[in-house]
Amino acid sequence: MTTATLFPPHGRLMTKLTALGPYLREKKSQEGYFFFDCLASCVNADKEPEEREFWGWWLVLTATDNGFEYSYDFGRYDLSGEWNEGKLPAKHKDAVMKTLVDFHEKLTPFIVDECQLTLSASSNLTQTQLTELA
């Protein structure tokens, strides 16, 4: 006899995932799909706040049969509020990676220990990306 994986209710997940950090974008998330991002390093701090762009990351958490799968990427958050995939400049890489690793260290115990679900990397992540999170 098999048992179905029991997921917490969507509202509870939204509350708990929001508490992990300022990264969850509620308007881009829905049942079984959660969008996180982080504006980690300012591109042009000398400009007015409304004119600043940032280097950072975004992560998508998607429900699977027994838990969640994540994928993430890096890029530049532009003035129109959109992410543009791109290679991180060397001077911004450490700041961006630190925020992603810090977030991942909060996400993993929540999903695995508290929710008793699996958390796995998407097959589309490169070995370099996976190594950076380890």
Side-chain angles (χ1 to χ4, degrees):
M1 180 174 171
T2 61
T3 58
T5 302
L6 188 59
F7 283 80
H10 179 72
R12 180 173 176 265
L13 276 174
M14 290 295 288
T15 300
K16 292 285 192 167
L17 291 170
T18 299
L20 294 179
Y23 310 108
L24 181 65
R25 299 285 183 169
E26 291 187 42
K27 291 181 182 177
K28 290 188 174 189
S29 299
Q30 59 191 11
E31 183 93 28
Y33 178 92
F34 301 91
F35 184 88
F36 302 85
D37 67 359
C38 180
L39 312 177
S41 186
C42 189
V43 172
N44 41 13
D46 56 326
K47 292 190 176 187
E48 292 297 318
E50 308 81 38
E51 298 173 0
R52 294 180 187 166
E53 295 182 323
F54 296 85
W55 289 104
W57 55 265
W58 62 96
L59 181 142
V60 174
L61 190 65
T62 307
T64 64
D65 289 341
N66 345 338
F68 289 96
E69 179 179 87
Y70 66 88
S71 62
Y72 64 90
D73 217 327
F74 303 102
R76 189 173 180 152
Y77 191 79
D78 66 22
L79 292 176
S80 64
E82 297 296 324
W83 282 105
N84 299 287
E85 186 178 338
K87 185 175 174 164
L88 297 172
K91 74 178 196 174
H92 295 277
K93 187 173 182 178
D94 287 347
V96 172
M97 288 308 303
K98 180 176 180 355
T99 61
L100 179 59
V101 169
D102 288 351
F103 176 70
H104 199 72
E105 289 173 352
K106 295 175 189 175
L107 180 65
T108 300
F110 169 68
I111 297 295
V112 175
D113 300 333
E114 189 173 329
C115 295
Q116 300 288 302
L117 299 169
T118 61
L119 180 63
S120 58
S122 171
S123 59
N124 71 353
L125 290 178
T126 67
Q127 190 57 45
T128 302
Q129 287 173 311
L130 293 173
T131 302
E132 289 176 333
L133 270 183

